[in-house]
Amino acid sequence: MRAWVIRAGRAGEREHWALENSVAGGGFHEIGDLTPYTTREQLADAVMAAYPTRSKASWSNFTGQLWSLRTRIEVGDLVVMPMKTNGTLAIGTVTGGYEYRKSHNGDARHLLEGLSGLHHYSEDLVRLVEIEAHIISLAYEVAKGSS
């Protein structure tokens, strides 16, 4: 099991919708369904084509986020959603995989379907969870490098 930080919009614009629908993800409306991409390189090419004026760093960042939604985040993993609108955290467990949806507003498209047990936690816990998520990420990278 891993823990993932997934935000619901740059300014929290999708938070209410994400919680009501028990999903995480969204955004990247310039990119279509990720299901056909079987390699990270294919997805990177699509990201570069969709965002031709962005920097290499942006391409890498966007590709990493989308590839994680598409392939790395698994059922049973934890999702931590920092709530920018009220300073709390929503934490839940992934119960379904990647899904592509064209929403009515064209924004919430790339989703992890089915988050269970979403709970809100205070702002004080936000710092603790961010630190723990960083530690988990570092431990994963170290373990991956030693195998």
Side-chain angles (χ1 to χ4, degrees), residues 1 7 31 58-59 105 124 144:
M1 172 182 39
R7 291 171 179 76
I31 303 282
S58 290
W59 292 336
N105 65 7
D124 294 337
K144 189 170 89 174

Side-chain angles (χ1 to χ4, degrees), residues 5 32 47 68 85 88 93 97 107 126 129 132:
V5 176
V47 167
S68 291
T85 57
T88 64
T93 303
D107 194 30
V126 171
V129 169
E132 287 182 9

Side-chain angles (χ1 to χ4, degrees), residues 16 20 25-26 29 89 94 100 115:
H16 182 71
E20 276 190 349
H29 59 273
L89 289 175
V94 177
Y100 177 74
L115 293 180

Side-chain angles (χ1 to χ4, degrees), residues 78-141:
L78 292 177
V79 168
V80 179
M81 189 182 313
M83 307 297 287
K84 294 185 178 191
T85 57
N86 63 17
T88 64
L89 289 175
I91 300 175
T93 303
V94 177
T95 60
Y98 168 79
E99 180 180 323
Y100 177 74
R101 283 191 205 165
K102 287 187 177 181
S103 69
H104 64 280
N105 65 7
D107 194 30
R109 294 183 177 224
H110 305 284
L111 305 170
L112 286 173
E113 188 64 42
L115 293 180
S116 70
L118 279 171
H119 298 285
H120 289 269
Y121 297 92
S122 73
E123 191 174 322
D124 294 337
L125 190 61
V126 171
R127 287 183 62 128
L128 177 61
V129 169
E130 286 176 344
I131 291 168
E132 287 182 9
H134 181 70
I135 290 169
I136 290 168
S137 175
L138 289 174
Y140 172 75
E141 291 302 318

Side-chain angles (χ1 to χ4, degrees), residues 40 43-45 47-49 51-65:
R40 188 180 175 116
L43 178 57
D45 290 343
V47 167
M48 287 185 276
Y51 299 97
T53 61
R54 295 296 204 129
S55 68
K56 287 182 181 181
S58 290
W59 292 336
S60 178
N61 180 317
F62 295 172
T63 299
Q65 289 182 51

Side-chain angles (χ1 to χ4, degrees), residues 4-32:
W4 301 88
V5 176
I6 300 178
R7 291 171 179 76
R10 196 169 277 206
E13 59 271 15
R14 290 186 301 273
E15 291 174 352
H16 182 71
W17 180 85
L19 293 176
E20 276 190 349
N21 291 281
S22 297
V23 298
F28 299 103
H29 59 273
E30 295 86 353
I31 303 282

